Amino acid sequence: MTFDRSIKIAPSILAADFANFGAEIDAIEAQGADWIHVDVMDGHFVPNISFGPTTCAAIRPHIKTVMDVHLMIAPVDPYIDAFAQAGADIITAHVEAGPHIHRTLQAIRAAGCKAGVALNPGTPAEAVEHLLDLTDLVCVMTVNPGFGGQKFIDMTNKVRKLRSMIGDREIHIEIDGGVDPTTAPLVAAAGADVLVAGSAAFRGGSVSNPAPYGDNIRAIRAAAEGAL
């Protein structure tokens, strides 16, 4: 993974057809996805359950781009090696998920992955200020984590603050929640470069009719780039 700040669209497979993950990933990558975002939820840290390392390992051969694994779980540390072995390129843990996020980020890097840290809407940018030298990505939640399809919560001031704090460090700012062609320009203008899109990326298409995936991705990308 070479670092750049160009706009990257990361469709969330939470919005894909669960019975057809491999074909869905093949289709959405062919239609222009830059990364594949994998939302892992435990029914404990967030009020929903999705899937674990075994599913990640099963879909890894289909992902030709970047496997961006977002752990909405607590505790995180006992599972880092399993997700690394499942093929994650990036593992993101929540600053709110435990008392030792610094140690968690060290462990993610030690496992050979890029380290991400996520912030819930109620958590200030300052929570990651002393973590930036261990961090490759900051994920700003623009919904309360747990479910797809929620309404966007405006976090542009937080994104601006993070962008200023990051300076010239090679750290991505990722936005997760409610991203569509209307909200993408707001966060892109504030400094975000990775846009997670679930329903907005997969809406209207299917494995047998993937063209809408491409239309959706192009619309989000054009809206975001137009704000730069």
Side-chain angles (χ1 to χ4, degrees):
M1 286 176 62
T2 53
F3 181 85
D4 69 76
R5 293 197 196 283
S6 65
I7 296 295
K8 289 162 283 294
I9 310 300
S12 166
I13 61 165
L14 200 61
D17 174 3
F18 274 38
N20 220 357
F21 269 160
E24 286 276 46
I25 290 164
D26 294 339
I28 201 124
E29 285 192 336
Q31 291 293 327
D34 299 293
W35 293 10
I36 298 295
H37 189 78
V38 183
D39 286 305
V40 176
M41 300 187 278
D42 64 355
H44 170 71
F45 180 67
V46 292
N48 198 4
I49 298 173
S50 59
F51 34 74
T54 313
T55 304
C56 291
I59 63 176
R60 176 69 251 197
H62 294 272
I63 298 176
K64 299 169 190 68
T65 58
V66 172
M67 187 175 187
D68 174 30
V69 176
H70 178 191
L71 299 183
M72 288 172 272
I73 67 174
V76 177
D77 295 12
Y79 301 98
I80 289 168
D81 285 346
F83 284 102
Q85 288 161 16
D89 294 301
I90 304 164
I91 296 177
T92 297
H94 273 256
V95 74
E96 308 89 359
H100 304 297
I101 186 66
H102 188 281
R103 180 189 295 158
T104 299
L105 295 172
Q106 286 178 314
I108 292 170
R109 284 192 166 179
C113 299
K114 299 283 190 187
V117 60
L119 296 168
N120 282 337
T123 303
E126 289 77 12
V128 300
E129 190 170 359
H130 301 293
L131 303 171
L132 293 176
D133 290 329
L134 272 176
T135 300
D136 301 291
L137 175 146
V138 179
C139 175
V140 177
M141 296 302 300
T142 43
V143 296
N144 285 297
F147 293 94
Q150 297 185 68
K151 192 175 185 318
F152 177 83
I153 301 168
D154 188 353
M155 290 285 144
T156 46
N157 286 340
K158 188 190 290 189
V159 175
R160 279 192 206 96
K161 196 169 286 186
L162 285 165
R163 187 68 198 86
S164 172
M165 283 163 47
I166 286 167
D168 60 3
R169 294 178 179 91
E170 293 190 352
I171 299 174
H172 297 290
I173 298 179
E174 178 175 78
I175 303 299
D176 186 356
V179 170
D180 61 25
T182 306
T183 57
L186 306 175
V187 291
D193 63 294
V194 183
L195 306 180
V196 176
S199 42
F202 284 95
R203 185 177 292 120
S206 64
V207 166
S208 57
N209 176 33
Y213 295 170
D215 295 339
N216 295 339
I217 289 168
R218 284 187 291 275
I220 297 167
R221 192 188 309 280
E225 289 177 346
L228 300 179

